[in-house]
Amino acid sequence: MKTSADEQELERRFQQRIEDEQKIEPKDWMPAAYRKNLIRQISQHAHSEVIGMQPEGNFLTRAPSLRRKAVLLSKIQDEAGHGLYLYSAAETLGTPRSELIAALQAGEAKYASIFNYPTQTWGDVGAIGWLVDGAAIVNQISLQRTSYGPYARGMVRICKEESFHQRQGYEIMIALAHGSAEQREMAQDSLNRFYWPALMMFGPHDRESAHSARSMQWKIKRETNDDLRQKFIDQTVPQIAFLGLEHPDSGIRWNEERQHYDHGEIDWNEFYAVINGNGHCNRQRMEHHIRAHEEGAWVRDAIAAHREKRGGRKQQVA
């Protein structure tokens, strides 16, 4: 039986491995709080990828050309794959995927607030690819260096595919911004509606985050919410200028001393309202997920029956 002194020594060695930039692997000893923090973050990331298929799936039958439809379909398939990678990474920590999905459907687990906003126009599909996936890339590039091995390795491929998604979205915005007056107006409207929610994707200020300090200590996260948000703001300003659109933040100003853009204040009341289930599409997103999950039960049952049958044959042979 481990004593308190033994536990302290294990934690000291664990933290030293973190400081030495060694990856933590599934069979390695880790503090219970580290495991819990990882399961929360990775599962939330997985849920976001899966729920994130819905807003764009809404436009599959209404894409303006066959090429646009094929590209969008490919992107949605990528998001499904990202969810599978991440659920698999979470399962290496000892929590079955079924439990993770049950927690999501019960409202006990979160996903990115941005996916509770509706896609009203084709411009929204472009804004999601450009802004939402762009924000995801800023966050996920640093996660390639996260301390947990399976999570870090999964992020390498995810980041490559997200880069494609961002370019796909920005290409749509370029076409709209340089199109007719109506198309330009559509692009501006989509930018106005998705810009601020995209900033919220990075989470609250670090001083207000319940998990940020420990995640930074264990190098689950490598950069703070506010630093990541600043990177995104800085890279987005010239992109908006290239499109020739008006920046949604009237307070955006270059700060020569900081060498960063100052920006207006985010509406955190809106953020917490959406996170707590009061967004435009919270109920719709979850109802759709539960319905699809229930309709797919026969596939899971068939897989289980096949495995059981194969297992029985092996035992007979043995």
Side-chain angles (χ1 to χ4, degrees):
M1 181 176 179
K2 289 185 175 66
T3 65
S4 177
D6 292 334
E7 290 286 344
Q8 290 177 4
E9 178 61 17
L10 285 170
E11 290 196 18
R12 186 195 67 77
R13 293 179 182 177
F14 174 83
Q15 189 62 43
Q16 188 58 55
R17 289 190 63 188
I18 298 291
E19 299 300 327
D20 292 341
E21 299 292 343
Q22 296 181 29
K23 294 299 182 196
I24 306 301
E25 300 297 341
K27 293 184 179 180
D28 294 338
W29 183 90
M30 63 187 75
Y34 177 84
R35 184 185 303 273
K36 182 178 180 181
N37 197 319
L38 271 174
I39 292 171
R40 178 196 60 79
Q41 179 169 323
I42 298 174
S43 65
Q44 179 175 308
H45 192 167
H47 298 330
S48 299
E49 297 282 359
V50 172
I51 297 295
M53 297 162 64
Q54 293 188 40
E56 292 167 314
N58 184 43
F59 262 84
L60 267 179
T61 59
R62 293 180 285 163
S65 70
L66 183 59
R67 173 181 174 272
R68 294 291 190 190
K69 181 174 183 176
V71 172
L72 182 59
L73 179 60
S74 179
K75 179 189 176 184
I76 294 170
Q77 290 174 323
D78 282 349
E79 305 294 6
H82 297 173
L84 294 177
Y85 302 154
L86 293 163
Y87 282 132
S88 296
E91 286 182 312
T92 66
L93 292 159
T95 302
R97 189 173 312 185
S98 57
E99 289 187 20
L100 301 175
I101 293 173
L104 170 66
Q105 295 181 352
E108 299 166 1
K110 305 294 185 182
Y111 57 89
S113 59
I114 189 74
F115 298 121
N116 290 310
Y117 291 82
T119 43
Q120 301 176 14
T121 68
W122 178 248
D124 291 358
V125 176
I128 288 174
W130 166 38
L131 296 174
V132 176
D133 292 310
I137 292 170
V138 169
N139 182 47
Q140 292 169 6
I141 284 175
S142 67
L143 288 176
Q144 293 176 109
R145 297 182 292 114
T146 191
S147 60
Y148 188 58
Y151 193 18
R153 290 187 289 272
M155 291 313 306
V156 174
R157 177 168 180 173
I158 290 174
C159 282
K160 289 179 180 178
E161 293 177 348
E162 292 289 4
S163 178
F164 157 75
H165 300 166
Q166 184 193 31
R167 294 183 185 190
Q168 172 254 355
Y170 198 58
E171 183 198 16
I172 292 175
M173 295 299 287
I174 290 174
L176 293 175
H178 294 86
S180 66
E182 184 180 5
Q183 288 173 320
R184 184 179 178 83
E185 183 179 345
M186 179 188 294
Q188 183 69 61
D189 176 63
S190 296
L191 170 60
N192 292 344
R193 285 185 289 107
F194 277 90
Y195 178 77
W196 291 103
L199 296 188
M200 298 176 196
M201 285 179 63
F202 296 98
H205 295 304
D206 296 281
R207 63 181 180 273
E208 300 168 2
S209 172
H211 306 286
S212 191
R214 295 303 295 273
S215 292
M216 292 291 291
Q217 176 190 342
W218 287 323
K219 297 187 179 181
I220 295 174
K221 287 178 58 176
R222 306 298 300 236
E223 298 181 71
T224 67
N225 294 348
D226 291 320
D227 286 345
L228 292 167
R229 185 166 23 247
Q230 185 68 64
K231 281 186 177 183
F232 176 72
I233 291 170
D234 290 348
Q235 77 176 28
T236 306
V237 171
Q239 293 171 349
I240 294 174
F242 180 81
L243 291 173
L245 299 178
E246 182 180 346
H247 201 293
D249 183 359
S250 60
I252 203 79
R253 298 286 187 280
W254 176 252
N255 186 316
E256 189 65 31
E257 182 179 351
R258 293 197 312 119
Q259 289 294 295
H260 293 292
Y261 283 96
D262 293 334
H263 57 89
E265 186 56 35
I266 295 168
D267 184 353
W268 292 112
N269 289 330
E270 177 182 335
F271 170 76
Y272 286 112
V274 176
I275 282 291
N276 291 323
N278 298 313
H280 295 286
C281 299
N282 291 68
R283 184 178 300 176
Q284 180 189 61
R285 299 288 185 245
M286 198 48 54
E287 287 177 351
H288 182 87
H289 185 276
I290 292 172
R291 183 170 64 252
H293 186 71
E294 291 175 347
E295 290 175 353
W298 68 271
V299 178
R300 297 189 297 276
D301 292 342
I303 292 171
H306 180 66
R307 286 176 177 169
E308 184 178 351
K309 184 177 181 180
R310 285 177 59 86
R313 284 179 179 176
K314 288 180 180 179
Q315 288 179 350
Q316 290 174 5
V317 172

